[in-house]
Amino acid sequence: GDSLIATPQSLAQWDQATYNLGEFAYLQPTIDQYAGSFGRYGPSVRVGLHSWSVFDPLWADKEFCRPNEDVLTCEIRLNNPSIMLVFLGSNDAGVPGGFLMNYRQVVETLVSTGSVPILATKADRFEGPDNVNNLAIREVAAELQVPLLEFDLLADTLPGRGLSPDNVHLTYLEPLDYRSAGLMAVGYPVHNLSVLMILDKVRREIGA
């Protein structure tokens, strides 16, 4: 994923002890199951990552990746994920056909390794008001029959779509206490919870 998750305000929160799930406490076993994964920024988490740079060895972390090994191949080799969240699209603009092709290749690669990809639409309109990248993500999810988190639709329920002033990254509020109703109007807290919900459902389905 890109800078949407390459921040401690995102999924890394589930590897901290400072949250309170409130009525969503039933999700705690899923946090426990994947403890250590939420805050681990592996080779496939890079600020500015595109669908095409996932396959570019120049974007791979030379500390961990082999020569001429691309970002995705390196991540799979090092961690062999049973489930992999895919957060891409905010940095892909201007070539919608290219995004669709590259994004499909990402998902097909994961499926071919036995990993279950969880795709996610995004709140921003970085590529333009036509929302073409989210349309591509939906198309790939339907075509390859993989789980899809519709955060684009969920963002419609949030003030300003849950976006910060840069209109790409999400708003944030501390502490992460879901007993507070106000938290459900803020970008990252809603995003993080929705990711945890779909991860919990997939975990229960596949027994991962």
Side-chain angles (χ1 to χ4, degrees), residues 8-124:
Q9 297 172 345
S10 188
L11 303 181
Q13 291 291 318
W14 302 130
D15 276 337
Q16 308 298 321
T18 54
Y19 61 84
N20 190 308
L21 288 170
E23 65 181 290
F24 306 106
Y26 70 92
L27 297 170
Q28 185 62 49
T30 294
I31 295 176
D32 296 339
Q33 175 72 19
Y34 302 108
S37 296
F38 299 105
R40 182 189 60 79
Y41 299 142
S44 61
V45 178
R46 297 293 299 270
V47 173
L49 195 67
H50 321 77
S51 61
W52 60 264
S53 54
V54 167
F55 300 105
D56 187 345
L58 292 177
W59 280 72
D61 190 329
K62 301 303 183 289
E63 182 179 352
F64 302 103
C65 302
R66 295 169 177 168
N68 298 317
E69 188 174 49
D70 63 56
V71 170
L72 187 58
T73 301
C74 181
E75 180 73 53
I76 293 169
R77 176 180 60 82
L78 290 175
N79 298 297
N80 189 29
S82 59
I83 297 172
M84 193 163 181
L85 301 163
V86 182
F87 296 101
L88 292 170
S90 292
N91 298 307
D92 291 84
V95 189
F99 174 70
L100 175 60
M101 179 183 68
N102 294 325
Y103 193 87
R104 181 186 289 114
Q105 185 179 352
V106 169
V107 179
E108 288 176 338
T109 299
L110 290 171
V111 170
S112 71
T113 67
S115 178
V116 177
I118 298 177
L119 315 187
T121 55
K122 58 193 182 66
D124 70 80

Side-chain angles (χ1 to χ4, degrees), residues 124-204:
D124 70 80
R125 296 291 186 269
F126 183 78
E127 74 278 16
D130 54 6
N131 202 24
V132 64
N133 286 0
N134 277 336
L135 296 178
I137 292 169
R138 292 176 180 128
E139 179 177 334
V140 172
E143 175 187 338
L144 300 179
Q145 293 294 287
V146 296
L148 175 66
L149 170 60
E150 271 285 14
F151 190 71
D152 179 34
L153 302 184
L154 189 55
D156 274 337
T157 69
L158 304 176
R161 295 186 55 79
L163 293 169
S164 64
D166 67 6
N167 288 319
V168 175
H169 299 94
L170 301 174
T171 52
Y172 187 67
L173 182 67
E174 292 183 307
L176 205 62
D177 187 344
Y178 289 94
R179 295 171 298 180
S180 170
L183 205 65
M184 301 306 288
V186 185
Y188 269 118
V190 173
H191 181 266
N192 296 346
L193 183 64
S194 64
V195 170
L196 191 58
M197 285 178 167
I198 194 169
L199 182 60
D200 179 75
K201 183 172 180 59
V202 170
R203 178 184 70 87
R204 293 173 186 273

